[in-house]
Amino acid sequence: MRTLCASTLIGEFFVIGFAGLVAMKEPDLSTATVWTVCGVLMALSVLLCGMITRPGGVQLGWALQILLIAGGFVVPSMFVLGAAFAALWWASVHYGRKIDEAKARFAAQSPAAHPRTEAGGNPA
């Protein structure tokens, strides 16, 4: 799950940065405001990469997805991009957990069924 979720979060990092560039064209927003908000969200997306497997990591990821969708009120295309990344987040969490469960089942199988190999590639 960690790999899939981290990949989604890194993609969001770039989308947030590009959304910041678009938001700078909004005359009602100052550059400092845009980059403070975008900087915090970008930092959160990177920090969440390391927190995915910790308690509350997935929930913080969902909060980030909601914030991305809400960004559509400033940059309208973020409604679509935020929804797309929310779907990717759901898929990353859902299928990542399934993959983790399958790996655990595979590892729990008898060691005789899966002999370890030596450095040369020959079974021990």
Side-chain angles (χ1 to χ4, degrees):
M1 179 173 78
R2 184 176 185 174
T3 303
L4 290 174
C5 290
S7 298
T8 301
L9 290 166
I10 293 301
E12 288 177 359
F13 172 86
F14 290 106
V15 167
I16 294 166
F18 291 131
L21 292 173
V22 173
M24 283 181 40
K25 295 183 185 280
E26 184 66 38
D28 298 335
L29 299 173
S30 70
T31 302
T33 301
V34 169
W35 290 113
T36 299
V37 171
C38 288
V40 167
L41 292 175
M42 290 170 78
L44 179 61
S45 68
V46 171
L47 291 173
L48 277 172
C49 289
M51 294 176 51
I52 294 301
T53 56
R54 295 185 183 191
V58 173
Q59 289 77 14
L60 283 173
W62 279 115
L64 180 63
Q65 305 316 309
I66 292 167
L67 291 172
L68 285 180
I69 293 170
F73 291 110
V74 177
V75 178
S77 61
M78 285 305 292
F79 284 126
V80 174
L81 288 171
F85 273 97
L88 282 172
W89 182 253
W90 175 84
S92 297
V93 171
H94 179 74
Y95 293 111
R97 285 183 176 155
K98 285 188 174 201
I99 290 169
D100 289 347
E101 290 168 3
K103 283 182 180 179
R105 280 193 310 269
F106 183 75
Q109 288 178 349
S110 168
H114 305 287
R116 293 185 169 236
T117 59
E118 295 176 0
N122 296 326

